[in-house]
């Protein structure tokens, strides 16, 4: 008979009521929020959207133009709520709104871009406030100006918004305002090729189809592209007897041709020890018990080696340098906007041996010295000039000696030819043969040469 079948396996025990079911992994929101309403204002726009399940917060993005990729005007994160009022927009301009949801796993996809147009102004704009932050772009003279902070107001029962800004600038030493950007429609304007040797002020003029505003509040003065840290380290000076050699720093970028004002001070009162402190440009100041009178010594270009000979420093001298950058003074007068740098005793190197080599010290990357030593060039040039002059004089003397010898030989030959001609005439010869004609031609040629 066949073997009996195996007994059935017992069923698994039921799960314990205390153990929870395994949780599904948290994922980012899969569906974007649905924008339900876009309500335009004069210089603002209200956006509403439907909530997304399990979303912790939302991001809202407003960009300019009918297509994606325009200037970003609003990029804000909203913790609670499903609506946001975007402010700081231009009037009568198109903007696109997008929203996306976030949770602890990350952000979800952006919603489709919904286009809206702000209201058309009915009145001319009011004078705008001052521009916002002014930032240099690297080491160049380009400057970014924040104008989005000036887009305020306009929604006061009627629309007096701004459709575009005109950005004007005034350089130090001038009373005229120049148009730097005729039509600004973005929150940031980039200015190129500003004069680096002058400080600048900026102001805005609002424009729309109803007219233009009065000039707005002027900004504080700024130096285009000049990093104040580049002026913090003084150059190295060398003292040899009563002469001082100063290698002026060379800045990078658009300030490569910057000029430096060199001033020297001499103690007027009793001499005293200590380091002369930095003071205001010009005038007198106290330092170490002696009164220092600063006088302009010279104006040198960046990267040049300036040599001051025969300085009378019996009571002690101080030297300071200052970049020549015009600033705004009182009552329209200009002054040097950059602070002066007083050379300390550690910045000077004494040189006694004539063959001692001197090299500039290590400096920050903002400064760049010439690759070759200019001191050696100042010695080599007169030496090479003297040697070249002696060589030219020797060559000229050899040429003159050779020419004089040739002239004496030709004079002797000419006298022999003239004597032969006189003998032929005394013999009374009537005809001239070919030899005599050739002889006469040689005589005439020799006379012409001499």
């Amino acid at each position: 008979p066949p073997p009996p079948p195996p007994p059935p396996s017992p069923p698994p025990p039921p799960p314990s009521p205390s153990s929870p079911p395994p949780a599904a992994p948290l994922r980012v929101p899969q569906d974007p929020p649905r924008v339900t309403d876009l309500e335009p204002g004069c210089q603002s726009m209200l956006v509403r959207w439907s909530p997304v399940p399990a979303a912790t917060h939302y991001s809202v993005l407003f960009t300019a133009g009918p297509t994606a990729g325009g200037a970003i005007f609003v990029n804000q994160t909203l913790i609670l709520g499903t609506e946001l009022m975007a402010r700081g927009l231009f009037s009568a301009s198109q903007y696109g709104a997008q929203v996306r949801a976030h949770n602890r796993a990350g952000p979800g996809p952006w919603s489709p871009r919904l286009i809206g147009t702000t209201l058309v102004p009915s009145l001319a704009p009011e004078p705008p406030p001052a521009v916002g932050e002014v930032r240099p772009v690297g080491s160049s003279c380009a400057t970014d100006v924040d104008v989005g902070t000036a887009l305020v107001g306009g929604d006061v029962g009627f629309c007096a918004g701004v459709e575009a800004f005109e950005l004007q600038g005034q350089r130090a030493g001038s009373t005229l305002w120049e148009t730097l950007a005729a039509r600004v429609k973005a929150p940031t304007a980039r200015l190129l090729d500003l004069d680096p040797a002058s400080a600048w002020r900026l102001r805005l003029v609002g424009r729309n189809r109803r007219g233009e505003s009065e000039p707005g509040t002027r900004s504080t003065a700024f130096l285009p592209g000049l990093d104040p840290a580049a002026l913090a380290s003084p150059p190295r000076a060398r003292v040899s007897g009563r002469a001082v050699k100063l290698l002026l720093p060379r800045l990078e970028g658009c300030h490569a041709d910057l000029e430096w004002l060199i001033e020297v001070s001499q103690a007027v009162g009793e001499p005293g020890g200590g380091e002369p402190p930095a003071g205001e440009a010009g005038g007198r100041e106290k330092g170490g018990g002696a009164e220092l009178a600063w006088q302009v010594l010279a104006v040198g270009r960046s990267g040049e080696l300036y040599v001051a000979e025969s300085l009378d420093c019996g009571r002690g001298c101080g030297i300071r340098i200052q970049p020549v950058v015009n600033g705004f003074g009182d009552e329209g007068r200009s002054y040097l906007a950059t602070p002066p740098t007083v050379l300390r005793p550690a910045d000077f190197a004494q040189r006694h041996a004539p063959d001692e080599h001197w090299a500039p010290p290590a400096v920050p990357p903002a400064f760049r010295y010439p690759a070759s030593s200019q001191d050696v060039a100042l010695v080599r040039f007169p030496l090479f000039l003297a040697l070249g002059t002696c060589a030219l004089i020797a060559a000229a003397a050899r040429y003159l000696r050779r020419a004089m010898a040739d002239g004496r030989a030709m004079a002797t030959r000419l006298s022999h030819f003239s004597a032969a001609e006189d003998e032929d005439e005394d013999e009374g010869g009537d005809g001239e043969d070919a030899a005599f004609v050739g002889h006469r031609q040689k005589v005439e040629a020799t006379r012409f040469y001499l």
Side-chain angles (χ1 to χ4, degrees):
S9 58
S16 174
S18 61
S19 60
L26 183 64
R27 298 189 302 174
V28 299
Q30 300 299 309
D31 298 325
R34 185 174 63 87
V35 179
T36 59
D37 189 17
L38 197 61
E39 182 180 341
C42 183
Q43 291 187 167
S44 61
M45 193 171 292
L46 176 65
V47 57
R48 298 185 179 93
W49 62 90
S50 59
V52 175
T56 58
H57 57 281
Y58 300 91
S59 294
V60 183
L61 180 67
F62 272 84
T63 54
T67 59
I72 298 176
F73 277 76
V74 176
N75 188 3
Q76 188 171 343
T77 298
L78 186 66
I79 302 299
L80 299 175
T82 56
E83 67 177 26
L84 176 70
M85 176 66 77
R87 304 184 184 276
L89 308 179
F90 287 99
S91 298
S93 302
Q94 287 186 331
Y95 295 93
Q98 293 176 278
V99 183
R100 69 177 176 181
H102 297 252
N103 60 15
R104 288 179 297 176
W110 285 104
S111 65
R113 193 168 183 263
L114 187 62
I115 307 298
T117 304
T118 52
L119 300 181
V120 176
S122 57
L123 294 176
E126 298 293 328
V131 299
E133 184 183 3
V134 179
R135 302 178 299 274
V137 182
S139 60
S140 64
C141 283
T143 304
D144 284 344
V145 182
D146 184 11
V147 301
T149 55
L151 289 169
V152 295
D155 297 309
V156 287
F158 50 86
C159 184
V162 176
E163 295 187 38
F165 279 124
E166 177 186 352
L167 183 58
Q168 299 178 348
Q170 180 190 30
R171 71 180 70 199
S174 174
T175 58
L176 301 178
W177 287 87
E178 310 173 23
T179 299
L180 304 179
R183 186 175 178 83
V184 179
K185 290 280 292 182
T188 302
R190 175 162 293 185
L191 303 178
L192 303 175
D193 300 330
L194 292 179
D195 182 13
S198 298
W200 288 80
R201 289 173 180 162
L202 301 177
R203 70 180 184 185
L204 294 173
V205 176
R207 299 182 184 274
N208 62 19
R209 62 194 64 193
R210 303 299 179 183
E212 66 179 31
S213 69
E214 294 293 329
T217 307
R218 67 186 184 187
S219 67
T220 57
F222 69 96
L223 304 178
L226 185 60
D227 186 5
L231 309 176
S233 183
R236 185 76 182 274
R238 191 183 67 195
V239 180
S240 179
R242 299 177 65 185
V244 175
K245 293 185 179 181
L246 185 64
L247 189 58
L248 298 176
R250 181 187 296 275
L251 301 179
E252 298 291 345
C254 63
H255 298 278
D257 296 331
L258 198 67
E259 293 183 336
W260 295 81
L261 177 68
I262 307 172
E263 294 179 295
V264 62
S265 69
Q266 297 181 4
V268 179
E270 294 298 326
E275 173 186 341
E280 298 296 331
R284 301 176 185 269
E285 63 185 20
K286 297 287 185 178
E291 188 177 4
L292 301 179
W294 291 102
Q295 298 178 354
V296 176
L297 191 61
V299 175
R301 301 188 66 86
S302 297
E304 290 184 349
L305 180 66
Y306 177 75
V307 181
E309 300 284 354
S310 302
L311 287 180
D312 185 9
C313 295
R315 295 175 179 266
C317 282
I319 294 181
R320 70 181 183 184
I321 64 171
Q322 185 176 5
V324 181
V325 179
N326 294 325
F328 292 95
D330 298 333
E331 300 179 357
R333 294 175 297 181
S334 63
Y335 73 105
L336 294 185
T338 52
T341 300
V342 179
L343 303 188
R344 302 166 301 175
D347 299 325
F348 290 87
Q350 296 288 338
R351 180 179 179 183
H352 303 286
D355 58 344
E356 180 183 356
H357 179 69
W358 174 80
V363 293
F367 291 89
R368 177 170 58 86
Y369 288 97
S372 61
S373 175
Q374 299 190 20
D375 292 342
V376 178
L378 291 175
V379 176
R380 287 178 177 174
F381 179 73
L383 180 61
F384 290 160
L385 182 62
L387 293 177
T389 304
C390 293
L392 289 177
I393 293 175
R398 288 195 300 269
Y399 176 78
L400 289 177
R401 286 197 299 268
R402 187 180 306 169
M404 292 175 62
D406 293 343
R408 286 194 295 269
M410 290 181 182
T412 304
R413 189 179 307 170
L414 179 61
S415 62
H416 293 167
F417 289 161
S418 300
E421 184 180 359
D422 294 340
E423 291 179 359
D424 291 342
E425 291 179 355
D426 293 341
E427 291 176 359
D430 295 333
E432 294 183 351
D433 54 2
F436 186 78
V437 172
H439 165 70
R440 183 178 295 275
Q441 291 177 353
K442 290 182 179 179
V443 171
E444 296 297 333
T446 305
R447 287 177 177 172
F448 177 76
Y449 179 79
L450 291 177

